[in-house]
Amino acid sequence: MIYESVRKYEGEFKTFYPYSPAADRGRWENMNLCLRKKWISLGEGYLNTEYPALTASGYMEFCNIGDRAGYESGYFERRRMLYALVMAECMEGKKRFLSKITDGIFAICEESGWQLPAHNHYSTGVHYKLPDIANPVMDLFACETAAGLSMAAYLLREELDGISPFICERIRYEIKQRILVPYLNRDFFWKGKPGQKVNNWTAWCTQNTLIALLSDEDLTQDIRRQILEQAARSLDIFLDTYGEDGCCNEGASYYRVAGLCLFNALEVMNFVTDDALKDIYRENKVKNMAPYILNVHIAEEYYANFADCAPACERAGAREYLFAKRVGNENMMRFAAKDFRENKNTVLPRQSENLFYFLQSVFTSDEILAFDASGEISKPDIYYESVGLFLARDAENFLAVKAGGNDDSHNHNDTGSIIYYKKAKPVLIDIGVETYSRKTFSPERYDIWTMQSAYHNVLTFGNIMQKAGAEYHADVLDVALKTDPVRIDMELAGCYPLGTVSGYRRTVEFKKGKWIRVADHFSPYAKGVFLTLMTVEKPRQQDNVLYIGELEKLYFDGNVKAEIEEIELSDTKLKKEWGRNLYRTKIYPADSEIAFTVKLDEK
């Protein structure tokens, strides 16, 4: 689809010059004064700060002890500093940030490898402790680094050339060696092959490769065509991994580096081809990808967080708004505009080190603020068949059920699990994922407790949990979204090793404003079967009622035995998201049925 559009294009490929450079003072000085002051203040805070040192021994810690966080914290802080200083200089235009900017550019250009230690592996399967400078690895952040440096050079070329012509020339040289040459001459898994299953890496790396390379005015037309055709092939393969419903099987946290990166890649391609690819936005699959993040939104910064997702994500903003605008989805535009206005952290968001995103935000902010977002934002009940994701809500309650299977990208063994929020507060949760380490993406992944079905809201049969792989999946028997109550009915026995259980049927029903009911029937009954319920609030049992703190009550059919386990969190990321403790309640049924009801209309 995308490749054919590029292949048929016969015009000249332009250079990617998306927004005004700093030398266009009128444009920058006419920006919102409050926004300008925020960026300048942020840049001032870095003027007397040293760029973090990145050492060889720090790089080797991933291979030596499995730690990712130590080296990565300095790596990302370097980039955040540089981009904040670039934005501050563009906003102010007095050249007082240029010396510090030059230091940052050369510090990054002198890194032996732009790839993270965790991604420093090669097609041979070897994972090296240190980068091989003769064989640059194009990982997510090598590509993103190149995009950031290319935008810094574009924005400040006149000012940097006034210091020395070798600053921007050094950027061009490094991008050529680390990005252009390997991109056109080597295979990386994320570039994809027909029929290959890919993930966010394809859209994310492709977007940033396009930004980095197509902003170089010296590239020939032939090289530009090669770049665009390769990008188009990769993006077609990426789109092939999505169902027609546009659901991101990697979860809400990855939408912004998957669907939104596809959008920005298309925007770059449209820019350099005079909008020759605009019809791509009319494709149903692409149109359905845009509002996914709205549909999984709970309230405030909270989202249904299956897979390797945190419960809270950055608020929506310019990219979501522009994607919605391209596909003509005004409902999604209202959501993005409203979220943008409520965001207290529009300058240098905590989860982004991408200079291009900051440019999109500041140059779109006036339009977003002027957009009428006063209308009602519709969040429909929806079933994403491609992933098996069931979402339903009323005025106060949000319910998500994960059917599908255990072969998603960033998979947890969580098929059949549920998430329930009441008045934007978590009742039944998906824990998410700890800080990434060497173990996270290794054969030992499912040794990590947060990945295991026994720590999701499903049954465990003695000590037997769900398994990972395409063969371990649910059979969805029925989905009803137009009825009262709404309902999903599924068979989950196939998610467990063969012979574990002959049948495990779960039915989840939601009568809006009245009740939610979860009913499990399994056979044969065996001693030691238990239902896990994960909560933030401390539960307590009284007869057949499980109290979730002061927030909610779960009424069980008949008497059950509850064991309440307090889990003290040691991981920094999980503690930030949930607090010091979580609770796992193990409910032991007396026979082969276990069911509970939440009475939503109970005072």
Side-chain angles (χ1 to χ4, degrees):
M1 176 168 60
I2 302 172
Y3 176 75
E4 283 303 308
S5 297
V6 172
R7 189 181 65 82
K8 291 176 182 177
Y9 179 71
E10 296 179 349
E12 182 173 324
F13 298 110
K14 298 189 301 185
T15 301
F16 183 57
Y17 288 162
Y19 300 108
S20 300
D24 183 0
R25 296 312 309 155
R27 184 66 184 89
W28 284 92
E29 290 175 4
N30 283 328
M31 280 189 182
N32 179 281
L33 182 59
C34 180
L35 187 62
R36 291 181 65 213
K37 286 182 176 179
K38 284 182 179 180
W39 276 110
I40 292 168
S41 176
L42 186 64
E44 287 173 334
Y46 284 127
L47 276 174
N48 296 313
T49 303
E50 294 302 317
Y51 287 95
L54 296 178
T55 64
S57 58
Y59 199 97
M60 290 190 288
E61 284 186 351
F62 176 77
C63 285
N64 289 340
I65 63 173
D67 178 68
R68 290 184 60 155
Y71 185 88
E72 288 182 14
S73 63
Y75 174 100
F76 289 124
E77 184 61 14
R78 276 189 173 189
R79 286 144 178 82
R80 290 169 70 82
M81 282 181 63
L82 174 61
Y83 303 152
L85 290 159
V86 168
M87 291 296 291
E89 180 58 42
C90 289
M91 293 290 185
E92 185 181 78
K94 294 181 180 179
K95 302 185 179 180
R96 65 179 175 130
F97 299 100
L98 291 178
S99 178
K100 200 72 177 181
I101 289 168
T102 303
D103 289 345
I105 288 171
F106 271 76
I108 292 171
C109 285
E110 288 167 359
E111 293 172 7
S112 294
W114 286 344
Q115 70 272 22
L116 296 185
H119 303 157
N120 190 37
H121 48 79
Y122 298 81
S123 57
T124 58
V126 177
H127 200 129
Y128 292 116
K129 289 186 177 182
L130 290 169
D132 177 1
I133 61 172
N135 292 288
V137 174
M138 292 180 66
D139 79 329
L140 298 171
F141 299 104
C143 298
E144 193 151 70
T145 296
L149 289 176
S150 72
M151 286 293 97
Y154 164 64
L155 290 168
L156 294 171
R157 186 176 307 280
E158 182 177 314
E159 292 78 4
L160 293 173
D161 282 351
I163 299 172
S164 169
F166 301 124
I167 301 173
C168 292
E169 189 57 39
R170 178 66 183 275
I171 291 173
R172 182 182 288 112
Y173 173 83
E174 296 295 344
I175 290 175
K176 178 181 178 182
Q177 300 304 315
R178 301 181 194 236
I179 304 296
L180 177 62
V181 172
Y183 187 61
L184 295 182
N185 295 283
R186 288 170 53 195
D187 283 331
F188 296 96
F189 78 92
W190 55 263
K191 289 169 73 174
K193 291 180 173 59
Q196 178 186 349
K197 187 177 180 181
V198 296
N199 65 3
N200 68 85
W201 278 62
T202 298
W204 196 352
C205 289
T206 300
Q207 168 204 266
N208 287 307
T209 297
L210 290 170
I211 293 170
L213 298 181
L214 296 180
S215 57
D216 184 350
E217 61 187 11
D218 291 339
L219 289 186
T220 66
Q221 288 293 304
D222 179 61
I223 293 296
R224 290 177 190 276
R225 179 168 287 280
Q226 290 181 54
I227 293 165
L228 283 159
E229 288 188 355
Q230 175 57 63
R233 284 191 290 267
S234 294
L235 294 176
D236 277 339
I237 292 165
F238 174 75
L239 275 173
D240 285 344
T241 66
Y242 273 67
E244 196 67 18
D245 57 24
C247 186
C248 177
N249 79 345
E250 298 174 270
S253 296
Y254 283 87
Y255 166 83
R256 292 182 167 102
V257 293
L260 286 188
C261 284
L262 168 73
F263 162 69
N264 264 339
L266 290 172
E267 289 296 276
V268 176
M269 298 170 86
N270 272 301
F271 185 100
V272 303
T273 61
D274 287 323
D275 243 8
L277 282 70
K278 64 183 179 182
D279 286 347
I280 303 298
Y281 292 114
R282 298 179 183 174
E283 296 291 329
N284 280 334
K285 184 183 292 189
V286 176
K287 290 171 70 174
N288 289 336
M289 290 172 75
Y292 160 83
I293 196 67
L294 167 62
N295 293 335
V296 296
H297 181 244
I298 300 172
E300 302 298 331
E301 295 177 308
Y302 294 100
Y303 291 83
N305 65 309
F306 295 109
D308 276 353
C309 291
C313 301
E314 289 287 352
R315 286 189 178 273
R319 292 187 294 153
E320 291 86 350
Y321 174 86
L322 291 169
F323 192 6
K325 181 180 177 182
R326 269 290 200 176
V327 300
N329 189 326
E330 290 191 10
N331 186 54
M332 176 68 182
M333 290 172 71
R334 281 193 294 274
F335 169 69
K338 187 172 183 291
D339 232 27
F340 181 82
R341 293 169 192 179
E342 293 178 358
N343 191 357
K344 296 179 176 62
N345 192 29
T346 55
V347 175
L348 208 64
R350 67 179 183 269
Q351 294 178 355
S352 179
E353 291 81 25
N354 193 302
L355 180 55
F356 181 65
Y357 299 165
F358 305 149
L359 292 174
Q360 277 187 308
S361 182
V362 299
F363 278 93
T364 312
S365 61
D366 285 348
E367 178 182 342
I368 296 175
L369 294 174
F371 181 77
D372 183 5
S374 61
E376 182 181 353
I377 297 170
S378 173
K379 297 178 183 178
D381 293 348
I382 191 168
Y383 177 63
Y384 281 114
E385 184 176 5
S386 67
V387 177
L389 184 57
F390 177 95
L391 303 164
R393 69 191 84 212
D394 62 19
E396 293 188 345
N397 302 281
F398 174 90
L399 175 70
V401 183
K402 162 74 163 54
N406 290 332
D407 194 40
D408 295 332
S409 181
H410 294 270
N411 175 68
H412 291 201
N413 289 338
D414 59 357
T415 303
S417 191
I418 62 177
I419 294 172
Y420 167 46
Y421 276 63
K422 176 181 181 179
K423 296 181 180 178
K425 295 185 181 299
V427 180
L428 299 176
I429 66 166
D430 187 294
I431 308 159
V433 65
E434 295 177 321
T435 304
Y436 283 168
S437 68
R438 181 175 58 190
K439 201 172 184 179
T440 311
F441 299 104
S442 77
E444 301 172 283
R445 177 178 176 87
Y446 295 99
D447 293 344
I448 302 171
W449 67 283
T450 60
M451 312 292 186
Q452 298 172 353
S453 63
Y455 292 89
H456 289 81
N457 301 313
V458 291
L459 291 178
T460 301
F461 297 90
N463 61 355
I464 302 176
M465 299 181 289
Q466 294 185 12
K467 299 280 285 183
E471 65 270 36
Y472 299 103
H473 61 86
D475 291 323
V476 178
L477 306 175
D478 184 43
V479 174
L481 290 173
K482 303 297 184 183
T483 59
D484 184 21
V486 298
R487 179 181 69 257
I488 182 169
D489 195 4
M490 52 194 158
E491 172 57 55
L492 299 174
C495 302
Y496 298 79
L498 186 65
T500 300
V501 62
S502 62
Y504 170 14
R505 184 167 178 172
R506 165 164 282 190
T507 302
V508 182
E509 297 178 290
F510 181 7
K511 187 172 180 64
K512 306 296 184 67
K514 297 295 184 180
W515 47 260
I516 292 172
R517 181 171 172 79
V518 179
D520 290 342
H521 177 84
F522 57 95
S523 61
Y525 173 76
K527 189 175 181 180
V529 177
F530 64 88
L531 169 66
T532 293
L533 296 173
M534 298 300 304
T535 64
V536 180
E537 301 290 335
K538 185 175 182 178
R540 61 183 176 88
Q541 182 188 13
Q542 183 176 332
D543 299 327
N544 69 328
V545 181
L546 186 72
Y547 293 79
I548 310 299
E550 301 300 320
L551 188 61
E552 192 57 274
K553 290 179 281 189
L554 279 56
Y555 293 86
F556 283 85
D557 293 2
N559 293 323
V560 293
K561 176 187 174 184
E563 289 183 1
I564 298 167
E565 172 189 356
E566 182 175 345
I567 301 172
E568 184 176 350
L569 299 176
S570 58
D571 179 71
T572 303
K573 176 177 176 293
L574 290 182
K575 285 166 68 175
K576 183 178 180 181
E577 292 163 358
W578 296 118
R580 294 178 57 188
N581 303 299
L582 292 176
Y583 297 90
R584 178 170 72 149
T585 302
K586 297 161 73 173
I587 304 291
Y588 292 88
D591 53 29
S592 59
E593 293 187 6
I594 184 169
F596 65 85
T597 301
V598 180
K599 299 178 181 179
L600 305 176
D601 57 352
E602 186 175 60
K603 301 301 181 184

